[in-house]
Amino acid sequence: MNTAGHSEATAPRGLELTPFRGLRYDPDRVGSLAAVTSPPYDVVVRPDGLHQLQDADPHNIVRLILPQATTPAVRNEQAATTLRGWLADGVLAPDPEPALYVYEQRHADGMLQRGLIGALRVSEPSAGVVLPHEDVMPHVVADRAALMRATYANLEPLLLTYHGNGATADVVDRTAERPPLLHTTTEDGYSHRLWSITDPDELARVQADLAPRQALIADGHHRWATYRRLRAEHPSPSPWDHGLVLLVDTLRYPLRVRAIHRLLHGLPVSDALAAVDGLFRVRRLDVPLPEALTALADAAAAGNAFLLAGDGDFHLLDRPDPEVLARTVPADRPPAWRSLDATVLHATLLHHVWHVPEDDPARIAYIHDTAATVEKAERDGGTAVLLHPVREEVVRDLARQGVTMPRKSTSFGPKPASGLVLRALDL
């Protein structure tokens, strides 16, 4: 490997967001822009959501980010062939010049998020430029890396947040006053608008403003780890020195933080409850899901709490036995980490009580949608474990200490829709 070039690529420089020629759908070649978009690959609820997206339009982006075939190698080659075909047919076309893209998501409930999509220089963890807060699963990183190698593209941006409220946010808001490149509304009620920034002075202002800043990974830990792996594989300089991101200033546009729930396959609720007898206080709640979640929030404000579902009822677990926590939760971490619900779930319940491996997809699934988690548990005879979300400030403080949270601990949103702008590495 070209170690000199590799060193250059990883030297600490702050946030370097580089313009790129975005690949975008030609609206005249697809049914609608909304019909070709998808949530990020790890949010798509399979198989129901996957089939729905595939049926929405023959060119839906899910055919690239979640190709369906018998083996991983065939899946990845299928995605690469599909991408080449769409480019040849003009379904996807590159923009004429490199740009940073202002991306806006707006909802009738008042949520407004704006940020910048660009190619971010990939840095090492030691640089302290991009802060992860969750562990990753190696097999997922390997899967995403193989897909990116095959397609030679970044197919969807990951979501980063930073604190700025400066020149970049001003450029973003001024750009959003102009007519957009595209405007569409997806079935979840969010409207999406995209603009390009190509003016050299505006780009220079953004790059100068971002240079001293650091970012927190809000969504996309596996894709960031994939970027790092692919950058390490290729002598620098190369297109792999950068990865596609959406960068949001949360001082100007705060994100919402939701929990990611667990679906435990092959563990009936009755067995899960029997195993925690005497270790947690358990209360059966004969109420609808919204009221059960309110009860969970109230209990989580006082300590660790979880909501089990799958047998037609909701069961609130709280007030864990302190002796059990002392025995099962690692003591070599900060108190804020040891008291996280996700920590207690993984260390105490999954590992010690239920004996469910956290990285075995045959035993556990990670699902963002609360109702879908409950429905799947009831349908499959498993146990849904619902969590209450952690605050962004806690996440950021732990990340700055270099402490990672248990995997799939948080869900920041709204997440960028996949399919609005892609990055081909050979442009």
Side-chain angles (χ1 to χ4, degrees), residues 28 47 82-83 89 97 103 142-143 189 192 205-206 229 232 294 375 382 419-420:
D28 295 330
T82 300
L83 178 57
D89 294 342
E97 58 182 319
Y103 175 47
D143 174 74
H192 306 260
R205 287 191 66 202
V206 168
R229 172 182 289 194
T294 299
E375 290 165 8
L420 295 180

mmCIF file of all heavy atoms in Angstrom, residues 28 47 82-83 89 97 103 142-143 189 192 205-206 229 232 294 375 382 419-420:
data_model
loop_
_atom_site.group_PDB
_atom_site.id
_atom_site.type_symbol
_atom_site.label_atom_id
_atom_site.label_comp_id
_atom_site.label_asym_id
_atom_site.label_seq_id
_atom_site.Cartn_x
_atom_site.Cartn_y
_atom_site.Cartn_z
ATOM 1 N N ASP A 28 -38.398 12.213 -15.987
ATOM 2 C CA ASP A 28 -39.174 11.772 -17.150
ATOM 3 C C ASP A 28 -39.048 10.276 -17.410
ATOM 4 O O ASP A 28 -39.788 9.718 -18.229
ATOM 5 C CB ASP A 28 -38.729 12.538 -18.404
ATOM 6 C CG ASP A 28 -39.028 14.027 -18.307
ATOM 7 O OD1 ASP A 28 -40.012 14.378 -17.620
ATOM 8 O OD2 ASP A 28 -38.286 14.824 -18.902
ATOM 9 N N PRO A 47 -39.661 -8.875 4.933
ATOM 10 C CA PRO A 47 -39.749 -8.695 3.482
ATOM 11 C C PRO A 47 -40.861 -7.755 3.025
ATOM 12 O O PRO A 47 -40.901 -7.351 1.878
ATOM 13 C CB PRO A 47 -40.034 -10.122 2.999
ATOM 14 C CG PRO A 47 -40.843 -10.719 4.103
ATOM 15 C CD PRO A 47 -40.304 -10.126 5.379
ATOM 16 N N THR A 82 -27.540 -3.681 -12.570
ATOM 17 C CA THR A 82 -28.700 -2.789 -12.583
ATOM 18 C C THR A 82 -28.271 -1.340 -12.677
ATOM 19 O O THR A 82 -28.829 -0.559 -13.469
ATOM 20 C CB THR A 82 -29.545 -3.008 -11.313
ATOM 21 O OG1 THR A 82 -29.983 -4.365 -11.263
ATOM 22 C CG2 THR A 82 -30.755 -2.090 -11.292
ATOM 23 N N LEU A 83 -27.277 -0.952 -11.880
ATOM 24 C CA LEU A 83 -26.798 0.431 -11.915
ATOM 25 C C LEU A 83 -26.258 0.787 -13.294
ATOM 26 O O LEU A 83 -26.569 1.858 -13.845
ATOM 27 C CB LEU A 83 -25.722 0.633 -10.845
ATOM 28 C CG LEU A 83 -25.068 2.023 -10.786
ATOM 29 C CD1 LEU A 83 -26.107 3.117 -10.590
ATOM 30 C CD2 LEU A 83 -24.016 2.077 -9.679
ATOM 31 N N ASP A 89 -29.347 3.655 -19.833
ATOM 32 C CA ASP A 89 -30.676 4.009 -20.320
ATOM 33 C C ASP A 89 -31.072 5.446 -19.976
ATOM 34 O O ASP A 89 -32.148 5.893 -20.392
ATOM 35 C CB ASP A 89 -31.720 3.056 -19.734
ATOM 36 C CG ASP A 89 -31.544 1.626 -20.229
ATOM 37 O OD1 ASP A 89 -30.863 1.447 -21.260
ATOM 38 O OD2 ASP A 89 -32.080 0.705 -19.576
ATOM 39 N N GLU A 97 -21.858 19.477 -13.275
ATOM 40 C CA GLU A 97 -20.646 19.941 -12.589
ATOM 41 C C GLU A 97 -20.704 19.553 -11.126
ATOM 42 O O GLU A 97 -21.782 19.328 -10.561
ATOM 43 C CB GLU A 97 -20.473 21.455 -12.744
ATOM 44 C CG GLU A 97 -21.645 22.279 -12.230
ATOM 45 C CD GLU A 97 -21.441 23.762 -12.461
ATOM 46 O OE1 GLU A 97 -20.302 24.248 -12.271
ATOM 47 O OE2 GLU A 97 -22.415 24.460 -12.826
ATOM 48 N N TYR A 103 -30.146 19.748 1.216
ATOM 49 C CA TYR A 103 -31.260 18.794 1.275
ATOM 50 C C TYR A 103 -32.176 19.193 2.415
ATOM 51 O O TYR A 103 -31.738 19.402 3.539
ATOM 52 C CB TYR A 103 -30.709 17.386 1.499
ATOM 53 C CG TYR A 103 -31.757 16.312 1.701
ATOM 54 C CD1 TYR A 103 -32.864 16.208 0.853
ATOM 55 C CD2 TYR A 103 -31.623 15.384 2.730
ATOM 56 C CE1 TYR A 103 -33.808 15.206 1.034
ATOM 57 C CE2 TYR A 103 -32.556 14.373 2.912
ATOM 58 C CZ TYR A 103 -33.645 14.294 2.062
ATOM 59 O OH TYR A 103 -34.579 13.303 2.244
ATOM 60 N N ALA A 142 -18.794 -5.938 6.182
ATOM 61 C CA ALA A 142 -18.307 -6.719 5.044
ATOM 62 C C ALA A 142 -19.329 -6.741 3.912
ATOM 63 O O ALA A 142 -18.974 -6.633 2.729
ATOM 64 C CB ALA A 142 -17.987 -8.146 5.493
ATOM 65 N N ASP A 143 -20.600 -6.845 4.260
ATOM 66 C CA ASP A 143 -21.670 -6.866 3.253
ATOM 67 C C ASP A 143 -21.750 -5.542 2.514
ATOM 68 O O ASP A 143 -21.822 -5.497 1.281
ATOM 69 C CB ASP A 143 -22.999 -7.175 3.941
ATOM 70 C CG ASP A 143 -24.173 -7.082 2.984
ATOM 71 O OD1 ASP A 143 -24.324 -7.980 2.146
ATOM 72 O OD2 ASP A 143 -24.942 -6.097 3.064
ATOM 73 N N GLY A 189 -45.327 11.276 4.510
ATOM 74 C CA GLY A 189 -45.745 12.650 4.767
ATOM 75 C C GLY A 189 -44.637 13.673 4.696
ATOM 76 O O GLY A 189 -44.897 14.872 4.829
ATOM 77 N N HIS A 192 -39.530 16.501 0.330
ATOM 78 C CA HIS A 192 -38.077 16.507 0.142
ATOM 79 C C HIS A 192 -37.745 17.502 -0.966
ATOM 80 O O HIS A 192 -38.344 17.466 -2.041
ATOM 81 C CB HIS A 192 -37.577 15.116 -0.259
ATOM 82 C CG HIS A 192 -38.005 14.027 0.676
ATOM 83 N ND1 HIS A 192 -37.190 13.507 1.655
ATOM 84 C CD2 HIS A 192 -39.180 13.341 0.774
ATOM 85 C CE1 HIS A 192 -37.841 12.561 2.320
ATOM 86 N NE2 HIS A 192 -39.046 12.440 1.801
ATOM 87 N N ARG A 205 -16.695 29.390 1.527
ATOM 88 C CA ARG A 205 -17.199 29.780 2.850
ATOM 89 C C ARG A 205 -17.572 28.544 3.658
ATOM 90 O O ARG A 205 -17.265 28.445 4.849
ATOM 91 C CB ARG A 205 -18.425 30.681 2.705
ATOM 92 C CG ARG A 205 -18.129 32.102 2.214
ATOM 93 C CD ARG A 205 -19.361 32.973 2.370
ATOM 94 N NE ARG A 205 -19.682 33.160 3.786
ATOM 95 C CZ ARG A 205 -20.894 33.504 4.250
ATOM 96 N NH1 ARG A 205 -21.899 33.631 3.413
ATOM 97 N NH2 ARG A 205 -21.095 33.677 5.528
ATOM 98 N N VAL A 206 -18.240 27.609 3.015
ATOM 99 C CA VAL A 206 -18.633 26.377 3.699
ATOM 100 C C VAL A 206 -17.399 25.611 4.158
ATOM 101 O O VAL A 206 -17.315 25.167 5.317
ATOM 102 C CB VAL A 206 -19.498 25.501 2.768
ATOM 103 C CG1 VAL A 206 -19.657 24.099 3.346
ATOM 104 C CG2 VAL A 206 -20.868 26.144 2.552
ATOM 105 N N ARG A 229 -12.885 1.086 5.848
ATOM 106 C CA ARG A 229 -12.284 -0.150 5.330
ATOM 107 C C ARG A 229 -11.877 0.027 3.871
ATOM 108 O O ARG A 229 -10.761 -0.358 3.477
ATOM 109 C CB ARG A 229 -13.265 -1.308 5.453
ATOM 110 C CG ARG A 229 -12.765 -2.572 4.763
ATOM 111 C CD ARG A 229 -13.746 -3.721 4.841
ATOM 112 N NE ARG A 229 -13.826 -4.252 6.197
ATOM 113 C CZ ARG A 229 -14.390 -5.422 6.499
ATOM 114 N NH1 ARG A 229 -14.907 -6.179 5.538
ATOM 115 N NH2 ARG A 229 -14.429 -5.842 7.745
ATOM 116 N N ALA A 232 -8.849 2.237 3.415
ATOM 117 C CA ALA A 232 -7.605 1.552 3.799
ATOM 118 C C ALA A 232 -7.155 0.566 2.728
ATOM 119 O O ALA A 232 -5.961 0.256 2.629
ATOM 120 C CB ALA A 232 -7.796 0.830 5.127
ATOM 121 N N THR A 294 -46.164 5.485 26.858
ATOM 122 C CA THR A 294 -46.147 6.544 27.868
ATOM 123 C C THR A 294 -45.717 5.982 29.219
ATOM 124 O O THR A 294 -44.918 6.604 29.946
ATOM 125 C CB THR A 294 -47.537 7.195 27.983
ATOM 126 O OG1 THR A 294 -47.885 7.779 26.724
ATOM 127 C CG2 THR A 294 -47.549 8.273 29.055
ATOM 128 N N GLU A 375 -46.028 -6.190 15.924
ATOM 129 C CA GLU A 375 -46.788 -7.038 15.004
ATOM 130 C C GLU A 375 -45.997 -8.287 14.614
ATOM 131 O O GLU A 375 -46.554 -9.396 14.565
ATOM 132 C CB GLU A 375 -47.163 -6.244 13.751
ATOM 133 C CG GLU A 375 -48.211 -5.157 14.021
ATOM 134 C CD GLU A 375 -48.309 -4.163 12.882
ATOM 135 O OE1 GLU A 375 -47.688 -4.401 11.824
ATOM 136 O OE2 GLU A 375 -49.011 -3.149 13.056
ATOM 137 N N GLY A 382 -42.493 -14.574 18.846
ATOM 138 C CA GLY A 382 -41.291 -14.132 19.545
ATOM 139 C C GLY A 382 -41.593 -13.043 20.551
ATOM 140 O O GLY A 382 -42.753 -12.795 20.905
ATOM 141 N N GLY A 419 -31.938 7.583 -2.709
ATOM 142 C CA GLY A 419 -32.385 7.652 -4.087
ATOM 143 C C GLY A 419 -32.482 9.056 -4.658
ATOM 144 O O GLY A 419 -32.706 9.211 -5.857
ATOM 145 N N LEU A 420 -32.302 10.069 -3.815
ATOM 146 C CA LEU A 420 -32.398 11.446 -4.335
ATOM 147 C C LEU A 420 -31.097 11.888 -4.990
ATOM 148 O O LEU A 420 -31.106 12.623 -5.963
ATOM 149 C CB LEU A 420 -32.809 12.401 -3.221
ATOM 150 C CG LEU A 420 -34.218 12.168 -2.640
ATOM 151 C CD1 LEU A 420 -34.510 13.155 -1.550
ATOM 152 C CD2 LEU A 420 -35.272 12.246 -3.746
#
